[in-house]
Amino acid sequence: MLKQRSFRLLLLTMAVLFLFPFIAFTSAKIMDDSVKKRPDILTIDIPSSPSHKDMPPVQFMHDRHSQAVDGQCIKCHETREYKVKNAETKGKAFVFKFKRTKDLEGQAYMDLYHDNCIACHVEMKKTAEATGPMEAQCRACHNADFNLGSSWSELIFDRSLHFRHESTKSIPSLIKTEKTNCNACHHNYNEKTKEVFYEKGREEACIYCHKKTGEDDMRPSRSAAHDSCVACHITLKEEKISTGPVDCSGCHDAANQTKINQATINQVKEIPRLQRNQPDTILLTGWNSLGTDMKKNEKIITQHMDAVAFDHKTHEKRTQSCKTCHHESLKPCNTCHTTIGDEKGEYINLAQAMHSIDKSQSCLGCHNEQKKARECAGCHFQMPEKAFKDHQCSSCHTVDAKSQPLERLIDKKSSDEMAKAALTDKAGKYSKVSKEKIPETVVINSIADEYKPSEFPHGLVVQAIFEKAGKNHMAKAFHGNELTLCQGCHHNSPATLTPPKCASCHSETPDIVSGKPGLKGAYHGQCITCHQKMEIKNILPTDCNKCHEKKAS
Amino acid sequence: MAISRRKFLGCITAAIGTSAVATGKARAGSNKHFTGHPDSFGILHDSTKCIGCRKCEQACNTVNSLAPPEKPFDDLTVLDQKRRTDEASYTIVNKFQQKPVFVKTQCNHCQEPACASACFVKALKKDKTGAVVYDESLCVGCRYCMVACPFNIPAYTYNDPLTPKVTKCTMCLPRIKEGKLPGCVEICPREALIFGRRKDLVKTAWQRINKNPDHYISHVYGEHEMGGTSWLYLSGIPFEQLGMREDLGITPAPQFTAGALGSVPIVVGLWPVLLTGVYAISKRKEKIARQEQEDAVQNTKTLATQEMNNQLSKLKEKMTREKETAISNEVKKALEQAAKKAKEAVAEEESAKAAEQAAWDEDVLDEDPASDDSGKEEK
C-alpha cells in the first residue's frame, strides 16, 4: 500500500517537473500579451554615440516617467525664453529635449543620458518603491526584445478643435490692439531678419512651413506643435486653468482622441466659419492664372472651359480643416497649379489638380471618396469610378462666362458674385418626383421557378433613397433631378419615369464576353450588393424566403 | 587501379554530352507549351459575390445522387467549421474572416492534372471539354491521385470495402454534353459562378478586376497556378487568407517528372552504347599502353644483352690478352731463366771445362728437366 502511494507521488512529481517549463513559459507569455501598446514610446537612438552598434536603442515610456516625477517637467527639461515680435509679452517655456537646450554629439550626448537617467534612478531608489535600472544593468534599457510597440496616432486639429481654441478666454491675445487671439499661436517668418512676426489675415496652417522632417533652421512639425501646444497647456495648468493634455497619451491615444472630440468644452452645434476674409463663392476659371492682360486678349476666354461656380462656404463646413483642400498654402489653387502647369505646382496643371481621381485634395478625388459612404455606396459601388473622360463636364462647369462682359469677369468681386448667382440658380432648379408616379409594388416573376414571384416594395425603397439623398448636401447638389436617383437601379437607362424592364437587356444566361450578368444574377446582384453596401442587417443575403416564398413542393 | 586524369575528364565530357542530348530530347517530347485544349470550358468563381447559401452543395448532391448530408443544406451553421471535399460531397463552401468571405472548393480540373499524371492505369484523364474525368472501371485503387493532387481534392469511398472508388467533381461532364450548365452554376442565385470557355472567362475575370480595382486583388487564381486550371477564382483579399495555396507556382505537375521520366528511354537506349564505347576506348588505350610497355621492355632487354655481350667480349679479350701477356712473361721468364741457366750452365761448363774433365756425365743430367717444363705450358 505504502509502496503504491509513494510510486504515485513519484509519478506526480515527475509530471510536475516535466510540465514546469511549459507552465512557466505560458505564464510569461500571458504576461507579455497583457502589456498593451503605448502611445508614449520615445525611441532614444544616438547614431553618433561610440557604442551605437553594440547597444539597441532605448524604448522610453514618457508618460510613465512624467508620472514618476509628479508631472514636474523641470526635473528633465530645461527652459528657454520666448518672444513674439510685435507682441509685448515674453515668457518662459520648456525645451522638449532631455536636459539640454541644443542637440549634442557622440560621447557627450550618450553620457548626458546615462548620467542623468541613472542618477535619478539612484535618487528615486532611496524613497520610491520602484524605479528604473541602474549602473551595470545596461540591458534593462538597451533591450531589443523589450519592444512594446507604439499605439501613437496623429492628432487631427480639426475645425472643432480650432474653434475651441479660438473662442476660449484662457488664451488671450498677445497683442493689445488685436481683438482676436489668433496671434497667440499663428505667426509668420521673416526670412531676411530671421524673426517671427504676426500679421493679421495672413494666418496659415503650421504644416505649411514646419514640415514633417524640418528644413534648414525651421523646426519640424513635431517640435513646433509641442513647443506651442504642450508649452501653453503646461503654463495654463500651472495657473490652474482648465486646459488640454500635457502628457503623450492625452493627445496621441486613440481613445483619448475620441474623448477630445466628444468633450463639451466650448462645443457648439454649428462650428462658425474661420475668419480670414475668404470668399463665400468663387468663380473657378482656367484663364485667370495666365497673367496676360485680359483686356488685350479677350479671345483667351473663349478658348477655355466654362467656369465652375464653387461654393467655398459649403465646402468649408464639410471638410475637416482648410488643409483638406489647401494642402500647401491658403492661397488660391491656381497660384501654384496654373493652367499649363508650373514648377511651383510640381507641373500639375489646374485641370489635373482639380480632376485627379487618386488625390484626396482634388475635387473628383474627394467626391469619389465621399461616394464610398454607406448611404451612397449602395448605388455608387455598382457604378465603378468613372475615368475623368467619362464625367459629364457640365455638372460642374455651369457658368458660360463667354456671354458675360469682360469687365465683370476680370473683377474678382463681381466674378465671385456671378458664381453665387449660378449656385442659387442651380439650387432653385432642384426637381422632385411626385409620389403618385412611383409604383408602390413591383412583382418580379420573370424567372420564378423554385420560389414564388417576389413582391418588391418598390415605393418604400425609392422613398428611402430619396430621403437619404435629400439629407446629403453633395447628393442633393449632384442629383438636381430626383429622377437621376432612379438610375441607381435602372442603370444605363435615361432618367425617366418609365425605365425599361431588366429583361430588356439581361438575358437568362450571363453574357460572358461583355461581362453582362444574366437575369438571375442581375436581380440578386442589384438587391444583395445594395443591401450589403448600405449595411442593411434585417434582410441577410441568405434570407431567401424574406424576398420570395418557397413554393410548396 | 588508379584512373588517369585524362581518362577521368574524357568520361565526364562523354557523360555531360549524353545527358544534354537526353534532356534536350525529353523537353521536346514533353508537353511544355501545352496551354490547354482549345475551346475547353471553365468556371469562374467570384468569391466577392458568393453569399454562402450552400445551394451549389445542394445541387451537386442532387445531380450526382450522393448520400444525403448529416445536416440539411439550408443549415448555415455548418459553415462555422472548415471542411474539405469527401466521398459524399464533391464540393463544399467554406467561410473565412470576420466579415465573411465564402469560397467554393471542388476539383479545379487542372489543364495538366497531377492526378492524371500520377495515375498509371489512365483512370483519370483530361477531357477536351476541360473536365478531368475518372474511369472507375480502370482504377486499381492505388490512390496515388489523392497524394498527387496539390489541392487536396480526390476522396475515396473507404466505407465501400468491395468496390471502392475515387470521388471528385466531374464538372458535370454528362450535363455539359447534354448542353446543360453544371449543377452548381445553374443554381447559384448570385451568379458567383459562371460557366463558359476558359479563355473568355480569363478575359471576364480581368475585365472585372480592371473595372473595379479597389474591389478585387489583381490576381486570377487558376490562370497560371500549376500550369492553369479550368476553375478560376476572383477575390477581394489575398487567396492565402481564403485557405488557397499560393506557393504552388506555375509549373504543371507533370512537368516536374516529365524531364526525368522522359529521359528514361534515352538513358536506357544510349547508356549501354556509351558505356561500351567508353569501355572499349579505355580498353584499347590499355592495350596500346601494354604494347608500348612490352616494346620498351624488349628494347631494353636487347640493349642490355648487347651491352652485356659487348662487355663480356671485351672482358674476354682483356683476359686473353692478360693471359697472353702472362704467358709471354712466363715464357720470357722461363727463357730468361733458361738463358740464365744456360749461361750458368755455360759458365759452369766453362768452369768445369776449365776445371774438369772428369765430371762430364753430371752436366747432361741437369739440362733435360728444364726443356720438359716449357714444352708443357705452351699446350
Side-chain angles (χ1 to χ4, degrees), chain B residues 14 17-19 21-22 263-277:
Chain B
T18 338
S19 59
V21 168
S263 59
V264 166
I266 280 143
V267 171
V268 169
L270 211 71
W271 270 75
V273 178
L274 171 87
L275 291 177
T276 320

Side-chain angles (χ1 to χ4, degrees), chain A residues 403-438:
Chain A
S403 56
Q404 299 289 335
L406 193 61
E407 289 75 31
R408 282 198 70 196
L409 288 172
I410 294 165
D411 181 47
K412 179 92 179 76
K413 212 172 176 185
S414 63
S415 74
D416 287 349
E417 264 168 25
M418 209 187 287
K420 194 176 184 177
L423 286 165
T424 331
D425 184 42
K426 196 184 172 187
K429 277 183 185 163
Y430 186 72
S431 67
K432 287 196 140 206
V433 179
S434 67
K435 256 189 176 181
E436 298 85 60
K437 287 179 182 167
I438 301 162

